[in-house]
Amino acid sequence: MGIFDSPQDIQNSLLEWFRENGRYWIPWKLKKDGSVPRSGESISPYGIWIAEVMLQQTQLKVVIPYWKKWMKCFPTLSYLAEADLENLLMIWQGLGYYSRAKRIHQSSKILVEFVGKNRDQDPDSWPNQIDKWMSLPGIGRSTAGSIISSAFDLPTPILDGNVKRILSRLLAIERKSIRDERKLWEFSSLLIERQSPRDFNQALMDLGAIICTPKNPSCSSCPLQNFCVAYTKYDPEDFPKKEMTKIKPLQEIGIGLVFNQKGELLIDQRLENSSMGGMWEFPGGKKIPNESIVKTIERELKEELGIVVNVGEKLLSFEHAYTHKRLNFTVHICAWISGQPKPLASQKLLWVSPDKLFDFPFPAANTKIISELHKHLCIGNKNL
DNA sequence: CAAACGTGGCA
DNA sequence: TTGCCAAGTTT
């Protein structure tokens, strides 16, 4: 018995499992009895769109509190489309992949046109075609499929990490070639249940999260056990084949906390098109071989701000791992000596009082610095 | 098309 | 503690 011979058996087994074990408690999803979530939460194309973007490469557990905060601050598409990017980034702070917030911001303007002014409360006004959704920045085929199946209950296939893993195992497809990728999309399309595609896609994702996990899959309680070639003939953990892990290079970074006479601190806003664009940070940069970190800070602040500083005591140093590199930050307190600061390598500069730092969106490495600085200055701040 | 891209949870 | 990796998309 295989997936080709018995798509209906697979559908039935999976949906039956879902009715018992599905994660109906996910805030933006319909409840088991078909009712909408309790008040304060909503089932809407809007809420589902935001959730699906937040969920890109991000665990459900991490997303939920961010989604709730977001829906409170930007309850509708109209609110969102009027909001400033910086307010979006404030909510997104800590969630990672900040370009997603920027693309949501861009998409909101386009969606207002698609949906029509003041029509965003009516789900029927929202687009339900794959092409429309995929035309939006930050939305690819899988996210579009999730949104459409979840919001409109239309049979649109998805292929996220969960579904890739499940289908790879069902079919014992090992390699991650472009051809295999196409095959997996075909199976996702072939398999999708026509009567309740919303539940079917959610069932796939829930199975991937609960049973068909990357490590130690619970094959003994899997409703698809009998259909699974990887289980029957091989070791499910070998599918899909893992990527070679690359070594992340380690770089030394010197950061200067520059104070003026008023006790204000110099921060800069990252260039819009750089990584973490639009986020704020403390100025600094990469150490050159054979350069002291103090010299690095002096040089970088001269190059990027056009100022001369006196590098003082070290506040802290720590390592922060990004996707493709590791950075070792060394942070020194600095005194501003001369030169009017200019945003030579950033889009904006600001002198701010240390207790106002939490009004700006900072990436995680910088919040570590802020937290240490506040300890150093004995500022009690429960927000950080 | 291979590489880039943030972070926190978890073993 | 260190390393893996999660509801992917873009360039």
Side-chain angles (χ1 to χ4, degrees), chain A residues 21-35:
Chain A
N21 305 283
R23 296 178 293 177
Y24 288 98
W25 48 262
I26 295 174
W28 49 87
K29 301 290 293 187
L30 279 184
K31 301 302 106 179
K32 192 171 185 176
D33 60 7
S35 66

Side-chain angles (χ1 to χ4, degrees), chain A residues 243-249 322-326:
Chain A
E243 297 276 4
M244 264 242 298
T245 53
K246 293 152 205 157
I247 306 149
K248 294 180 184 178
Y322 294 88
T323 314
H324 286 87
K325 63 188 172 192
R326 294 176 304 148

Side-chain angles (χ1 to χ4, degrees), chain A residues 29-134:
Chain A
K29 301 290 293 187
L30 279 184
K31 301 302 106 179
K32 192 171 185 176
D33 60 7
S35 66
V36 298
R38 64 178 178 277
S39 66
E41 297 171 345
S42 62
I43 173 122
S44 64
Y46 173 66
I48 288 167
W49 163 46
I50 299 302
E52 292 302 338
V53 175
M54 286 184 167
L55 284 163
Q56 291 168 357
Q57 296 290 284
T58 311
Q59 294 177 20
L60 176 65
K61 191 174 297 182
V62 176
V63 163
I64 286 175
Y66 279 88
W67 184 84
K68 289 183 174 175
K69 251 190 293 176
W70 182 285
M71 296 307 284
K72 206 168 171 184
C73 290
F74 313 113
T76 68
L77 174 62
S78 309
Y79 276 92
L80 178 60
E82 298 296 317
D84 291 331
L85 175 57
E86 200 162 336
N87 295 125
L88 274 60
L89 288 172
M90 274 305 284
I91 303 299
W92 208 273
Q93 181 175 24
L95 193 54
Y97 287 142
Y98 298 98
S99 64
R100 291 182 293 176
K102 185 181 171 182
R103 292 178 178 140
I104 283 180
H105 193 233
Q106 297 168 335
S107 296
S108 70
K109 319 268 181 189
I110 304 169
L111 275 167
V112 165
E113 299 304 313
F114 285 173
V115 173
K117 279 273 180 204
N118 306 318
R119 290 180 174 277
D120 56 306
Q121 293 306 298
D122 176 11
D124 293 336
S125 303
W126 287 68
N128 61 9
Q129 309 96 327
I130 188 87
D131 296 0
K132 277 262 171 65
W133 281 100
M134 284 182 69

Side-chain angles (χ1 to χ4, degrees), chain A residues 241-272:
Chain A
K241 194 174 161 189
K242 290 167 194 75
E243 297 276 4
M244 264 242 298
T245 53
K246 293 152 205 157
I247 306 149
K248 294 180 184 178
L250 180 62
Q251 277 173 347
E252 296 292 329
I253 303 291
I255 299 286
L257 300 184
V258 184
F259 285 92
N260 64 13
Q261 295 86 335
K262 289 193 234 168
E264 293 167 326
L265 196 46
L266 193 56
I267 61 174
D268 71 85
Q269 189 175 34
R270 293 177 61 82
L271 257 11
E272 208 53 65

Side-chain angles (χ1 to χ4, degrees), chain A residues 326-341:
Chain A
R326 294 176 304 148
L327 299 185
N328 209 339
F329 289 85
T330 302
V331 185
H332 280 255
I333 309 272
C334 301
W336 178 33
I337 301 296
S338 64
Q340 199 57 41

Side-chain angles (χ1 to χ4, degrees), chain A residues 253-317:
Chain A
I253 303 291
I255 299 286
L257 300 184
V258 184
F259 285 92
N260 64 13
Q261 295 86 335
K262 289 193 234 168
E264 293 167 326
L265 196 46
L266 193 56
I267 61 174
D268 71 85
Q269 189 175 34
R270 293 177 61 82
L271 257 11
E272 208 53 65
N273 292 322
S274 67
S275 72
M276 304 188 282
M279 300 292 281
W280 291 80
E281 66 179 6
F282 299 108
K286 292 182 198 115
K287 184 168 104 67
I288 294 170
N290 299 325
E291 187 182 47
S292 72
I293 202 71
V294 167
K295 180 68 194 161
T296 301
I297 295 171
E298 286 173 354
R299 180 181 50 76
E300 288 285 349
L301 299 196
K302 182 72 191 168
E303 288 173 5
E304 299 193 346
L305 306 173
I307 61 171
V308 177
V309 298
N310 185 18
V311 178
E313 74 171 292
K314 181 170 115 180
L315 180 68
L316 81 162
S317 62

Side-chain angles (χ1 to χ4, degrees), chain A residues 107 169 228 232 253 325 347 355:
Chain A
S107 296
R169 289 174 178 174
C228 183
T232 315
I253 303 291
K325 63 188 172 192
Q347 52 172 314
D355 60 342

